[in-house]
Amino acid sequence: MKPVNVVVLGGGLVGCAAAYYLARRGAGVLLVEQGDLNREASGRNAGSLHFQLEYRLIRYGDELAAQFAQIIPLSLVALEDWRGLEAELRADLEVGMHGGLIVAESDADVALLERRQALQEKWGLASQLLSAAEVRRMAPYLAESVIAAGYFPHEGHANPRLVAPAFARRAEELGVTIQSQTRVTGLMRDGAQWVVTVVDRSGRAREVIADAVLNAAGAWAGEIGALAHLHLPIFAVPLSMNVIERAAPLIPHLVQHASQRLTLKQVAAGNVLVGGGWPSRFSREGSAMSTQRRADPVVENVMANLTLAARLVPAIGGLHLLRSWTGITGITTDQMPLLGAVPEAPGFFVAAGGAAFTHGPTYARLVSELILEGRPSVSIDLYSPARFSHINNFMASV
Amino acid sequence: MGASDQQVSDATCDVAIIGAGPSGLAAAAVLREHGVGVTVIDEQPRAGGQILRQPPKNFSVAHWLPAKLYDRVKAALHAVSEQQDIDWRFQSTVLGILRPSAYRTLRADASGAAGPESAAVRSHMERQTSVAGPDQKLGGGAHELWIQGPSGCYLLRANAVLLAPGCYERPLAFPGWTLPGVMGAGAIQGFVKSQQFVPGNRFVLAGSHPLQLVVADQLLTAGAQVAAVVFTQRKQQALRMLRHPFVALRHHRQLLETSHILRRLRRAGVPVIFGHTIVRADGAHAVEKATIAEINPSGTIDHHKTHVFECDRIGVCHGFLASSELARQAGADMHWKDHAGGWLARHDDWLESSIKNLFVAGEITSVDGADAALEKGRIAAVGILRSLGRLDDNRARSLASNARKRLSHLQRFAAVLQQLAQPPAGLALQTMSDDTLLCRCESIQRGELQRALADNKHVLSADAAKLLTRVGMGLCQGRLCGDNVARVIADARGVQPDEVGPFQAQAPVKPVPLAALTRERITSPRPRM
Ligand SMILES: Cc1cc2nc3c(=O)[nH]c(=O)nc-3n(C[C@H](O)[C@H](O)[C@H](O)COP(=O)(O)OP(=O)(O)OC[C@H]3O[C@@H](n4cnc5c(N)ncnc54)[C@H](O)[C@@H]3O)c2cc1C
Ligand SMILES: Cc1cc2nc3c(=O)[nH]c(=O)nc-3n(C[C@H](O)[C@H](O)[C@H](O)COP(=O)(O)OP(=O)(O)OC[C@H]3O[C@@H](n4cnc5c(N)ncnc54)[C@H](O)[C@@H]3O)c2cc1C
């Protein structure tokens, strides 16, 4: 085993991809995951490749939307990354980039689409506004109630089941050591190095010394931050997803709604995935919300989500809901990713938050360039943890 | 509460019982006697559960269960089935056991609004808040059931829930096991029992459980041909099982008859073969042939020593798996006991699971048979009364003591039967070839799973394997493949199947038509938190 230069904390998509990119650049990497790989957000998400602005980014008025639109430059990099990913990883990831439709059912929806369009244009994402007739021609499976749609031809989806495991396999070929069923319980800076305490399945604790640590713990990135006595303003949020039984190919696009929570797509096996950010509910642990147990489903939300889906794509109305599940993901206070070095803790890097299925491979690639080369090939300053230095100002003197 | 609440939140009941089998019925009788409101939910059209399988109401069967084997269970059914003060909900599937939102409960308390809770429950809640003992369980006590009834889905809030969902036959995967005509022996019996209908002409029964003798006998009586009855056990072991003192027990009284059955089979020229297992089924479109092979003394199958029987039905019979999906979905602590039904719910003396006011009874606590299920139902009912504050500890203890005595007696013998009726260790791994379908819903072969395990050496849990390969992702939600998948992974990783875990169960635990879920009334949905 090579000496460990970087310990990657968390074995979701971001962690597995970072391990791969770090190793490709020659680093010695240890990846530590408390459960099995890809079992949290990265294996439980909807698999949408979001390049247009999602509803959650556009719904809080013009001022905030303008701020949240700063994600688009990263989305454009991610788009290129996804195009090459299957070849790079020599794996079928079920990537389908056949276009994304954000549908409107009312004049207010259309107005929202127009505003979104303007913001996207400003940041260099060339989307179109389709008329009712154009939508009908492109997506005959959509209901009559759809009167317009925002369209971006390169949007689409990939299969979350497959992406992180493919990164992990390639990472191991490059010499990365992966320890699953192993939990990080301590992080201490010792001079220029980090001492990482990990506890394996049998309860045995061990210390690992590394030059750098990468916090890729998703919704739990705040807890990892706390181990290093840092505040990382990441909030865990509980979401839900639904999968409908297999059907003949019908829906080639990623379908979203202009003013409601909906994403809908058909995966390679024929199942239709329905999500869009409907909440599930954290279970309680004393007075706290537990992020350690699975979030509980909220039946009303599952029903409302499916009602909306069946209204927009009437053909699925005759099928069965196969299963619903919940997943926990992390968002930051300003909806931007937390990506880069934490200035108050040299050698401590973080890549978390946001739509990190879409952006995960890109976070991972750019942050590994930053770790190993001191600067990434594309600027990620907009997303740097340095924007929260005013908080860690009071945390970092230890 | 949000507007959407009204649309799906139907009502509150005192106690909801899931499963109208022996356990659920026995519990209903006790609860009713104590004046507690009982709602019984079962996906079948009538009460009785697995063992009674009542014929449809408008379908009169001349000698419904003529053998006097099931009189105790029948008595339990008659004691409650016509009671109008029980809220019966048949053809209703429980899709999930959910925790009502703590947030809503808090709000109702704060506003001082008269909640739907009965006095009993209020006193119970007081007890809950005042006594925070070390045996504190998870959850606030009340539960919300997500139910798919004949006219759609709704939520039912219950102050306590008894989960008694029974068990199903343990499937064995072997080449050809998905051909039409391969069934569980119990399923064949189900047809004969409930409708006096013989689903085939010439049968081979193969397995390790003595139930197959009873089924063979019932088939002969009904005029079918039985080509062979095949036991995995060697002759000495099988005879020990069939002659064991448990035959004296009411619980398995059918086995009192085993010597008669064996004699009848011999007279009818039916070979009873020991030390063999089914290894394949063949046929163009449906079963035409069954191949069995010898199991040598070390427990490995000798594929060179085979016999072939012509037949159009194969009944496999390797014991039972508890229907654990709702307990797992609810988040109850489970433990794995291979020969007692796989994943079982942990519980305390009162059959309360690790979750407050979620009680468990019947086969979900251990597959001990119908008479034991009755006693468990009674004990759980007393436990519920105690937990709801309707009985003090002493009364509860004395009320349950007879049932406890009978249960411990029944369970002693059930344990012996479980031991003896267990298929040989490793049988499931030996009957599956590389290209045998492991997961029939998603058409995943054993070899595919094994290759994925070899390529992805960090996969340990059944869930991770499911995510990677789609095994268990289909309509049956892993009920059919879960046990075998766990064995394949455990074997590849050199661990025990319980370390691999069951698939995570999520609500809905069974597929639901979208039409039963969607509501056009919800036009601009606002998410509920
Ligand atoms: C239901 C749902 C739907 C979504 N849909 C989309 C979508 O369509 N498109 C999109 O782009 N994004 C989507 N997202 C968001 C996306 O899934 C996440 O942003 C992304 O998967 C995050 O990847 P990650 O690797 O950072 O986190 P995760 O995949 O959550 O991985 C973090 C890992 O860290 C591990 N960990 C935590 N603490 C420790 C510790 N102390 N020691 C060791 N390991 C630890 C965890 O076990 C976990 O495996 C969705 C999220 C959810 C929940
Ligand atoms: C094929 C077969 C044959 C058997 N033969 C014998 C025998 O001869 N002797 C013997 O002692 N034992 C036998 N058993 C074991 C037998 O099941 C039990 O002994 C007895 O019926 C157990 O009672 P129970 O109350 O635990 O469950 P059950 O009698 O199985 O009742 C459970 C009920 O729960 C309902 N249910 C389950 N899940 C849901 C849900 N999600 N929503 C709504 N309803 C639900 C089912 O429809 C069922 O009616 C047999 C089992 C099987 C499967």
Side-chain angles (χ1 to χ4, degrees), chain A residues 10 12-14 33-34 40-42 45-48 184 217-218 327 329 354-358:
Chain A
L13 174 56
V14 174
E33 162 58 47
Q34 64 182 352
E40 295 303 335
S42 299
N45 67 66
S48 310
V184 183
T329 191
F357 182 68
T358 306

Side-chain angles (χ1 to χ4, degrees), chain B residues 168-318:
Chain B
Y168 61 103
E169 293 181 86
R170 181 196 292 275
L172 185 78
F174 53 89
W177 74 290
T178 55
L179 270 180
V182 180
M183 303 171 71
I188 293 171
Q189 185 190 37
F191 279 105
V192 180
K193 262 203 282 202
S194 72
Q195 315 191 349
Q196 303 223 319
F197 160 71
V198 180
N201 295 308
R202 197 171 150 79
F203 292 78
V204 167
L205 296 161
S208 61
H209 199 280
L211 176 67
Q212 60 181 353
L213 274 186
V214 181
V215 178
D217 189 45
Q218 288 171 331
L219 283 169
L220 283 183
T221 311
Q225 290 179 44
V226 177
V229 180
V230 182
F231 278 94
T232 56
Q233 293 91 336
R234 307 184 71 72
K235 190 161 188 170
Q236 283 317 312
Q237 191 195 352
L239 291 181
R240 198 151 37 105
M241 167 171 77
L242 299 174
R243 292 202 191 107
H244 193 273
F246 69 71
V247 295
L249 198 69
R250 294 176 61 95
H251 164 58
H252 284 106
R253 223 169 7 167
Q254 58 264 49
L255 297 175
L256 258 181
E257 297 192 18
T258 48
S259 47
H260 304 295
I261 293 179
L262 283 170
R263 207 172 311 131
R264 280 200 291 272
L265 293 179
R266 210 172 307 132
R267 218 177 301 131
V270 176
V272 178
I273 300 167
F274 298 98
H276 281 68
T277 175
I278 179 93
V279 289
R280 62 182 300 127
D282 291 286
H285 306 290
V287 171
E288 294 166 15
K289 280 190 306 199
T291 305
I292 66 168
E294 191 176 315
I295 303 174
N296 68 29
S298 68
T300 49
I301 298 175
D302 187 340
H303 286 278
H304 301 292
K305 295 191 183 151
T306 59
H307 300 275
V308 178
F309 295 93
E310 312 242 314
C311 60
D312 65 351
R313 282 291 183 279
I314 300 173
V316 287
C317 196
H318 297 90

Side-chain angles (χ1 to χ4, degrees), chain A residues 312-360:
Chain A
L312 283 181
V313 183
I316 65 172
L319 301 172
H320 282 80
L321 168 65
L322 205 54
R323 198 167 32 250
S324 298
W325 66 88
T326 64
I328 297 175
T329 191
I331 51 168
T332 58
T333 45
D334 60 4
Q335 301 226 61
M336 291 294 106
L338 206 52
L339 181 61
V342 177
E344 295 73 23
F348 188 99
F349 296 83
V350 56
F357 182 68
T358 306
H359 297 128

Side-chain angles (χ1 to χ4, degrees), chain B residues 46-64:
Chain B
R46 301 191 67 188
Q50 207 36 274
I51 192 150
L52 289 186
R53 272 294 163 90
Q54 284 199 76
K57 235 178 183 150
N58 54 2
F59 183 109
S60 152
V61 171
H63 302 288
W64 179 55

Side-chain angles (χ1 to χ4, degrees), chain A residues 231-388:
Chain A
H231 280 311
L232 300 179
I234 290 221
F235 290 87
V237 295
L239 301 180
S240 59
M241 278 300 305
N242 311 284
V243 59
I244 291 171
E245 70 180 302
R246 239 179 274 188
L250 174 73
I251 309 162
H253 307 113
L254 168 65
V255 177
Q256 298 176 77
H257 196 285
S259 66
Q260 293 186 28
R261 303 172 192 237
L262 181 74
T263 64
L264 184 151
K265 69 191 63 71
Q266 190 168 22
V267 299
N271 301 87
V272 177
L273 290 184
V274 176
W278 287 85
S280 50
R281 189 195 290 131
F282 286 126
S283 59
R284 286 267 170 191
E285 223 163 58
S287 63
M289 298 182 283
S290 170
T291 57
Q292 298 302 321
R293 281 200 296 269
R294 295 265 170 261
D296 294 329
V298 176
V299 173
E300 291 89 334
N301 291 350
V302 169
M303 291 172 74
N305 195 354
L306 293 166
T307 300
L308 184 56
R311 191 179 82 211
L312 283 181
V313 183
I316 65 172
L319 301 172
H320 282 80
L321 168 65
L322 205 54
R323 198 167 32 250
S324 298
W325 66 88
T326 64
I328 297 175
T329 191
I331 51 168
T332 58
T333 45
D334 60 4
Q335 301 226 61
M336 291 294 106
L338 206 52
L339 181 61
V342 177
E344 295 73 23
F348 188 99
F349 296 83
V350 56
F357 182 68
T358 306
H359 297 128
T362 308
Y363 292 179
R365 181 170 67 82
L366 298 178
V367 86
S368 31
E369 291 169 0
L370 174 68
I371 294 172
L372 299 180
E373 272 138 52
R375 58 175 287 170
S377 54
V378 176
S379 166
I380 50 175
D381 291 348
L382 277 174
Y383 320 114
S384 166
R387 69 189 189 277
F388 299 113

Side-chain angles (χ1 to χ4, degrees), chain A residues 61-79:
Chain A
D62 287 348
E63 204 173 317
L64 283 176
Q67 188 188 322
F68 299 156
Q70 298 181 69
I71 193 66
I72 292 176
L74 197 69
S75 297
L76 293 172
V77 180
L79 194 161

